Amino acid sequence: MPLTVLSVGYPLAPVSQTTAGGAEHILATLDEALVKAGHRSLVIAPEGSRCRGTLLPVATPKDNFDDAAREFASAQFRSAITSALAKHPVDVIHMHGLDFLQYLPDAGVPVIATLHLPPNWYPSEVFKLSRPHTHLVCVSESQARECPRRPSGMRVIPNGVCLDNLHPGWTKGNYIFALGRICPEKGFHLALDAASQCGIPMLLAGQVFDYETHRQYFETMIRPRLNEQNRFLGAIGGRRKQQLLAGARCLVVSSLVPETSCLVAMEAIACGTPVVALRRGALPEIVEHGRTGFLVDSPSQLTGAILASGNLSSSLCRESAEKKFSADRMIRDYLSLYQEIGNLRRELAVSSYQEVA
């Protein structure tokens, strides 16, 4: 039986396949999958978002993301969720934002909350929720191990990428590539330093969101490292991103925090490009050391790994991606969870009706 799923993004990040954020990318992928499977997909997200289902756009701040802006955006999302539940027969709510606790609706419709970020970034209350029929999902085994134990447990549904849109290139260029949100925790300055030490040009792509710390990081740690060899491309997506991934000598992931997943690493490997990464969080679940890339324990080791990456096989990278990273598996797991929870909600509704009757 078709379901109605209400997906809720993060109030300050538009949802699309090209947004520089894993949570937004996953939400967009699941929205498209729901529509293709014959379900009804409703999406609450900032104005300017793009989705295949029905977008319920919310006017939220587009710049100067300070505390006041975040509070205002959360209030707008609370109102939008209340309105959506009043107008539509929603079976499941799927929340993706770091701050979902601030607009979590009262008991009623079952909620799935996917934790896209490190567990210690969330308020401790997230792991003590007493709200009935509220399910937490982790995106990797390493992330789940770091979460506080919860009586109702947690599910793990690893992220995946659409392999049909990712292909190895015919030839490799002589450049290093890095991609993501331009912010302190991503450590892109370390990748730029390693590229300079190697004498290999580096292309950095991504979005600088309008948080003060992000702007300061770009101006003080990234811009001074840019030159004729090391270039910043800004936000990219679609075919250009695929071509740059496929043509790179390697992708560098220099995150300073544990990565709960890493979509760009999956995409690079699917494009036949090895990944050089600091050994953080879920990256050992993604990168096969010595086969699809190299994992190092300190920034000083990035240079040697970058130079060695040129000896790795593009075809082995693609083969690994086909075995491990298909979005089809992730989609099946989420659709199965939606169906399970939706069926339970309907059974409870029937049981309550019978008791009243």
Side-chain angles (χ1 to χ4, degrees):
M1 182 179 295
L3 297 171
T4 297
V5 177
L6 174 65
S7 297
V8 183
Y10 178 61
L12 297 178
V15 168
S16 77
Q17 294 283 3
T18 59
T19 300
E24 291 72 40
H25 189 93
I26 294 300
L27 193 164
T29 299
L30 293 175
D31 160 66
E32 182 175 1
L34 282 164
V35 173
K36 286 183 177 179
H39 300 291
R40 188 180 187 198
S41 176
L42 308 174
V43 178
I44 290 178
E47 290 177 337
S49 296
R50 297 180 180 179
C51 62
R52 286 286 301 276
T54 301
L55 176 64
L56 306 177
V58 180
T60 58
K62 294 179 173 55
D63 53 27
N64 193 22
F65 295 160
D66 56 13
D67 289 343
R70 288 192 285 270
E71 290 177 9
F72 173 78
S74 292
Q76 294 292 92
F77 264 44
R78 279 195 297 273
S79 176
I81 292 170
T82 299
S83 176
L85 293 178
K87 294 178 182 177
H88 305 283
V90 174
D91 295 298
V92 180
I93 302 170
H94 191 172
M95 310 189 86
H96 293 265
L98 171 66
D99 59 346
F100 76 89
L101 208 58
Q102 297 182 34
Y103 38 87
L104 179 69
D106 294 334
V109 179
V111 167
I112 299 168
T114 294
L115 308 181
H116 292 278
L117 297 169
N120 61 4
W121 290 26
Y122 293 87
S124 60
E125 292 79 8
V126 164
F127 304 99
K128 303 172 185 176
L129 288 171
S130 58
R131 183 188 185 279
H133 310 300
T134 305
H135 310 264
L136 300 185
V137 174
C138 288
V139 296
S140 65
E141 294 291 345
S142 62
Q143 182 196 32
R145 288 193 295 269
E146 295 300 316
C147 288
R149 290 190 177 275
R150 194 167 178 262
S152 57
M154 285 191 173
R155 303 202 185 210
V156 176
I157 301 180
N159 288 337
V161 294
C162 183
L163 298 178
D164 291 342
N165 298 332
L166 303 163
H167 308 283
W170 290 107
T171 59
K172 285 289 184 186
N174 185 37
Y175 65 89
I176 300 161
F177 192 46
L179 171 68
R181 286 179 294 110
I182 311 300
C183 55
E185 61 267 22
K186 292 298 183 181
F188 287 124
H189 63 287
L190 300 175
L192 288 163
D193 287 346
S196 296
Q197 291 164 14
C198 292
I200 301 174
M202 177 172 153
L203 301 179
L204 171 62
Q207 185 169 353
V208 184
F209 285 95
D210 205 13
Y211 298 95
E212 183 179 359
T213 54
H214 293 199
R215 295 194 304 267
Q216 288 181 350
Y217 175 69
F218 181 81
E219 293 300 330
T220 61
M221 301 298 286
I222 299 299
R223 192 183 294 280
R225 289 172 165 83
L226 301 178
N227 49 47
E228 291 183 1
Q229 289 236 117
N230 298 335
R231 293 189 291 134
F232 177 61
L233 306 179
I236 64 169
R239 184 164 178 76
R240 190 180 185 207
K241 180 177 80 168
Q242 193 274 330
Q243 290 175 333
L244 288 170
L245 282 170
R249 178 191 185 95
C250 67
L251 175 84
V252 177
V253 180
S254 48
S255 295
L256 298 173
V257 298
E259 290 282 344
T260 56
S261 181
C262 189
L263 293 182
V264 68
M266 297 179 190
E267 291 173 334
I269 294 171
C271 289
T273 296
V275 174
V276 171
L278 292 174
R279 196 187 305 271
R280 299 279 192 272
L283 283 160
E285 298 173 41
I286 296 169
V287 180
E288 298 176 56
H289 183 73
R291 191 169 185 268
T292 64
F294 293 103
L295 297 165
V296 300
D297 296 310
S298 70
S300 63
Q301 297 174 319
L302 288 171
T303 301
I306 289 169
L307 293 173
S309 67
N311 299 320
L312 298 181
S313 166
S314 290
S315 60
L316 287 179
C317 287
R318 177 65 188 191
E319 179 184 316
S320 175
E322 290 175 352
K323 290 179 180 177
K324 297 170 58 177
F325 305 144
S326 173
D328 292 343
R329 181 265 315 145
M330 175 190 74
I331 289 166
R332 284 194 301 270
D333 288 348
Y334 273 114
L335 292 184
S336 176
L337 180 57
Y338 294 153
Q339 201 72 61
E340 175 188 331
I341 293 172
N343 289 342
L344 177 60
R345 171 174 167 74
R346 288 166 178 168
E347 290 172 7
L348 291 172
V350 170
S351 175
S352 298
Y353 174 79
Q354 290 175 340
E355 288 178 5
V356 171

